[in-house]
Amino acid sequence: MRAVIVAIGVAFLVSLFCTPIAIKVFTRLKAGQPIRTDGPAMHQGKKGTPTMGGVVFILATVIAYVAGHLALTTLPDQQIAQVEPTITALVLLGLMVFSGAVGFLDDFLKVRKRNSAGLNKRGKLLGQILVGAVFGVIALWFPSTMTDGSGLATNTETVGSTTLSFIRDIDALEVSKVGAVIIFIFVVMAATNGVNLTDGLDGLATGASVMVLAAYALIAFWQYRHWCADPNYTQPYCYEVRDPLEIALIAGAAAGACVGFLWWNTSPARIFMGDTGALGLGGLIAGMAMSTRTILLLPIIGGLFVIITMSVVIQIISFKTTGKRVFRMSPLQHHFELAGWSEVNIVVRFWIIAGIGVAIALGLFYSEFLANMT
């Protein structure tokens, strides 16, 4: 627990104090956010606000991970903890960094061209597929080599699983490794685009991501305390995952980094996360779902992202089939802007929706544990 708290604190402080530096740097570089001409008129006042702020909390998460590992070296020997960096960390941080890199390229092109087009849809899609495929393969082809004192393997789990999962793996829904990678690519694409579509109002995606990442930190730490690989855990019901403490540490660090960034990103935002941050967070959230074996629970934990994504899908299908729009504008947050809601009201109310999804998901997760312990 100490390592997770250290990671959260370090990430928060690094993000809080480095974001103003990023604001000054990006302002001098004239890396201002281009605004869509067909968007809500009130957004034109945001033109020129520095973007690519996701760089800050991505770096803060990586730095906090290192700090958390330094804290792990002080744990008593009898506690089960992977002191050395793991494949799990490589996958999770890799998903965050390289998904963020795809977004950074998109942001860079927007700034350079001085318009909101950026990287074309095909290029962004290929980037997401490549990142998902590379880290999906790593997650499924490299089992753990953690051993006990006698040198015998105690946990040969991979980061990902060839079985679809809800609260844990569902044995009846097993697929091949190739099939599992394809499913994970879809999850990466869904999560990155979901966060990206939500990132339309000051602080909206950041605050929602804090809740989702905090939920995964709680889930992973609970799995660590009831871990099948822990020889000190004697209860019959345990979680077959790999490196749950690593997962909790990274999720907590990312949540803390986002809170520090939110100080400057809340309305009126002094900096935007851009596609750099949105795609980085989406990639990490996808990795959290895979590594905690909660793939099918993700749509509930990230309920707000699903609702906003579906508003875009519904709008497109309706317009192409009937020529009519269901919403004044999509994504959904812009519909309510055009309906007269203030930006702050929309953000807070959508945060409440995000919180409800997280609460329901945590309730399902914990109730499943209670049902099997009684």
Side-chain angles (χ1 to χ4, degrees):
M1 187 65 175
R2 183 194 318 170
V4 177
I5 294 173
V6 167
I8 293 171
V10 169
F12 170 74
L13 292 174
V14 171
S15 187
L16 180 67
F17 291 109
C18 288
T19 301
I21 298 173
I23 293 171
K24 292 178 181 179
V25 170
F26 290 138
T27 299
R28 289 176 182 172
L29 294 175
K30 298 181 179 179
Q33 174 70 50
I35 304 297
R36 290 169 50 186
T37 56
D38 60 343
M42 61 283 289
H43 283 205
Q44 296 306 312
K46 300 180 180 184
K47 187 175 182 179
T49 302
T51 187
M52 295 188 280
V55 169
V56 179
F57 58 72
I58 290 174
L59 289 175
T61 301
V62 175
I63 292 170
Y65 171 75
V66 175
H69 262 264
L70 292 176
L72 279 178
T73 61
T74 65
L75 289 174
D77 293 339
Q78 67 269 22
Q79 289 191 246
I80 298 296
Q82 188 77 42
V83 176
E84 299 297 327
T86 63
I87 292 293
T88 301
L90 171 65
V91 170
L92 294 178
L93 293 177
L95 283 165
M96 189 181 199
V97 171
F98 285 95
S99 293
V102 175
F104 182 86
L105 178 59
D106 186 36
D107 287 332
F108 176 78
L109 292 175
K110 288 177 182 176
V111 171
R112 185 176 182 181
K113 296 177 181 178
R114 301 297 175 187
N115 62 56
S116 59
L119 187 65
N120 61 48
K121 293 180 180 179
R122 181 176 298 177
K124 190 181 292 187
L125 182 65
L126 287 174
Q128 293 168 340
I129 292 173
L130 180 61
V131 171
V134 169
F135 289 101
V137 168
I138 294 173
L140 285 158
W141 265 268
F142 292 87
S144 174
T145 56
M146 183 182 291
T147 59
D148 59 19
S150 65
L152 297 175
T154 59
N155 181 18
T156 56
E157 294 286 338
T158 53
V159 180
S161 174
T162 56
T163 305
L164 286 178
S165 56
F166 181 55
I167 305 299
R168 57 176 64 246
D169 286 341
I170 304 171
D171 293 336
L173 299 178
E174 188 170 2
V175 296
S176 65
K177 285 189 176 182
V178 174
V181 171
I182 293 173
I183 291 171
F184 181 61
I185 291 171
F186 173 77
V187 174
V188 169
M189 292 169 59
T192 52
N193 286 301
V195 178
N196 198 22
L197 290 171
T198 304
D199 182 32
L201 300 180
D202 296 351
L204 177 57
T206 309
S209 296
V210 169
M211 298 181 207
V212 171
L213 290 166
Y216 276 118
L218 291 172
I219 287 172
F221 192 76
W222 186 262
Q223 291 175 332
Y224 169 64
R225 296 298 299 271
H226 306 84
W227 191 20
C228 296
D230 184 352
N232 298 316
Y233 183 71
T234 58
Q235 296 294 333
Y237 192 71
C238 59
Y239 294 95
E240 295 180 353
V241 295
R242 174 174 177 169
D243 309 318
L245 187 59
E246 286 277 85
I247 304 168
L249 192 153
I250 294 170
C258 285
V259 172
F261 180 76
L262 185 60
W263 183 275
W264 306 101
N265 181 236
T266 192
S267 183
R270 292 186 56 188
I271 188 170
F272 299 138
M273 69 165 68
D275 280 21
T276 305
L279 269 61
L281 288 174
L284 177 60
I285 289 170
M288 289 290 161
M290 173 179 64
S291 59
T292 57
R293 311 292 169 86
T294 55
I295 289 284
L296 298 179
L297 190 65
L298 176 58
I300 301 175
I301 295 180
L304 178 65
F305 302 140
V306 174
I307 291 169
I308 288 177
T309 301
M310 289 307 300
S311 74
V312 176
V313 173
I314 291 169
Q315 186 85 323
I316 292 172
I317 293 174
S318 177
F319 187 75
K320 288 190 174 182
T321 56
T322 68
K324 297 180 180 180
R325 292 180 171 86
V326 176
F327 306 104
R328 289 181 171 90
M329 185 177 181
S330 65
L332 188 60
Q333 60 267 31
H334 299 318
H335 166 81
F336 288 106
E337 278 191 290
L338 296 179
W341 291 23
S342 71
E343 181 171 8
V344 172
N345 278 343
I346 297 169
V347 170
V348 173
R349 288 168 182 171
F350 276 37
W351 281 352
I352 293 172
I353 294 171
I356 291 171
V358 166
I360 292 173
L362 289 176
L364 290 171
F365 180 84
Y366 187 60
S367 63
E368 190 264 355
F369 176 82
L370 290 179
N372 284 277
M373 287 294 288
T374 55

